[in-house]
Amino acid sequence: MSNLFSSYLSRIIGVTALSLILVSPAAAVAQSVKMGLALFNVGNVNPPGVETILELTFPANIDGRITTATFGWSASPCAAAAKIKFFRPAFSPLGVAVLPSFTFLTERGPFDVTAPVTQSGFGMLATQTVVLNPAVEVQAGDVVAITNVTSCGGPTHVDRYGGMPPPPGGSLTLPGDVSSSFVPPTNQLDLFIFLTASGSSSSLGLLSDRFAITLDARNPRTGVTAKGVPTLLGPASGYFSLPEFTGDPTFPEVTVKMVDATGSPALGGDFWFFHAPLTDVLYTITVTDQFTGAVKTYSNSSGSPGQLCGGVDTSAFVP
């Protein structure tokens, strides 16, 4: 197995395996999801034609909703220049020295490049940030890609080796505007490119992130479903918005809080969980104790619009 592929494989599998074996309460759930690489620019890719480049160096660290992407570009202004895409790798059995197959998830764009071009490192660079609307749901291990859809400029690659030209190993280039799943035609990896994407975690981490909380909702009038977007209010409380319903990621729809009563035998000595709707949509909350692995679900009891029913569980989780 090549060192390059071994490194990539260990990053993907290592992150996934680590998330499964960490059971300490100190193992925090990050409140942001990140993917991609952004370091010093050392040159421009400037593809001779339309190409799709997958950034493989840093896949998504956790499950979440990607809301923005930032990429390096070699010219500006360029109208409708780039698309941002997302893929999910599926590995062959361990020990097989080939790149995984990739499932196409979705794309956004094309986006204009309007940021000014400045001198950076050994080349010219426009650093462009774009908003992905609607947000893109990703899982830990997913990768981000970029497609140049015009001949006006192109992606830039980055320096990971202190001013030396970067060796191959950080990305995978495919001809054309790829919008379907594929098996790589070659095992050769290409230059590290300047491409990142970020957003918010799908889960709300409470009580020093010991508890990871997610929410799924359904509009009882239309049957349309949506995932809650978490906002942390403090170490023990937060709320979920439903921008797929309201268009506003800051608008609270369901509030939650937890109480650590483990040091109070008179209060039962357990962790308490509270949830309260500020909406009449139906929802299910999943709470995971990342110390013990225990999982509980809670729902509002409304079967039709207009019933606002929350709940409290004073023996939700044991210490």
Side-chain angles (χ1 to χ4, degrees):
M1 183 181 297
S2 70
N3 290 335
L4 293 175
F5 178 71
S6 298
S7 175
Y8 175 51
L9 185 63
S10 65
R11 280 195 297 271
I12 298 284
I13 296 180
V15 168
T16 303
L18 191 61
S19 67
L20 295 176
I21 64 175
L22 286 178
V23 294
S24 164
V29 175
Q31 290 301 305
S32 62
V33 55
K34 301 177 181 179
M35 56 205 308
L37 177 68
L39 293 174
F40 301 105
N41 173 53
V42 296
N44 300 317
V45 176
N46 288 334
V50 175
E51 294 182 349
T52 298
I53 307 176
L54 282 70
E55 202 297 303
L56 304 181
T57 314
F58 292 106
N61 56 333
I62 55 174
D63 297 354
R65 297 166 57 88
I66 297 294
T67 54
T68 63
T70 299
F71 55 90
W73 205 256
S74 63
S76 181
C78 293
K83 292 181 180 179
I84 302 297
K85 302 170 182 282
F86 296 87
F87 293 85
R88 180 164 300 154
F91 285 94
S92 301
L94 294 178
V96 180
V98 294
L99 284 168
S101 61
F102 291 87
T103 298
F104 174 74
L105 299 179
T106 191
E107 65 180 34
R108 298 289 184 268
F111 297 103
D112 298 339
V113 175
T114 58
V117 176
T118 59
Q119 183 74 31
S120 177
F122 296 96
M124 303 301 290
L125 169 67
T127 302
Q128 183 68 48
T129 297
V130 296
V131 175
L132 308 185
N133 187 19
V136 177
E137 297 284 345
V138 298
Q139 297 179 7
D142 290 348
V143 298
V144 63
I146 189 168
T147 300
N148 64 299
V149 290
T150 72
S151 59
C152 180
T156 60
H157 59 254
V158 299
D159 178 16
R160 297 192 68 202
Y161 294 93
M164 299 297 292
S171 65
L172 176 66
T173 299
L174 299 169
D177 185 358
V178 179
S179 59
S180 60
S181 303
F182 67 92
V183 176
T186 174
N187 198 32
Q188 177 62 52
L189 297 176
D190 298 313
L191 297 171
F192 298 92
I193 63 167
F194 180 174
L195 173 62
T196 66
S198 62
S200 60
S201 167
S202 296
S203 64
L204 186 68
L206 297 186
L207 299 181
S208 299
D209 288 331
R210 171 164 175 169
F211 296 94
I213 304 168
T214 59
L215 181 141
D216 294 280
R218 180 173 67 86
N219 188 326
R221 300 173 182 83
T222 64
V224 175
T225 60
K227 290 187 176 295
V229 175
T231 297
L232 189 67
L233 295 176
S237 64
Y239 70 83
F240 289 92
S241 60
L242 294 169
E244 292 180 60
F245 292 163
T246 67
D248 186 351
T250 68
F251 192 62
E253 296 282 11
V254 181
T255 60
V256 297
K257 79 171 185 179
M258 297 196 72
V259 172
D260 182 354
T262 57
S264 304
L267 298 178
D270 296 325
F271 292 99
W272 298 13
F273 179 73
F274 300 77
H275 63 101
L278 304 174
T279 176
D280 64 356
V281 303
L282 307 176
Y283 64 81
T284 299
I285 296 171
T286 301
V287 185
T288 301
D289 183 343
Q290 300 195 110
F291 185 87
T292 65
V295 178
K296 285 195 172 183
T297 59
Y298 303 88
S299 299
N300 59 336
S301 59
S302 60
S304 60
Q307 299 183 39
L308 304 177
C309 302
V312 55
D313 184 352
T314 58
S315 58
F317 295 91
V318 299

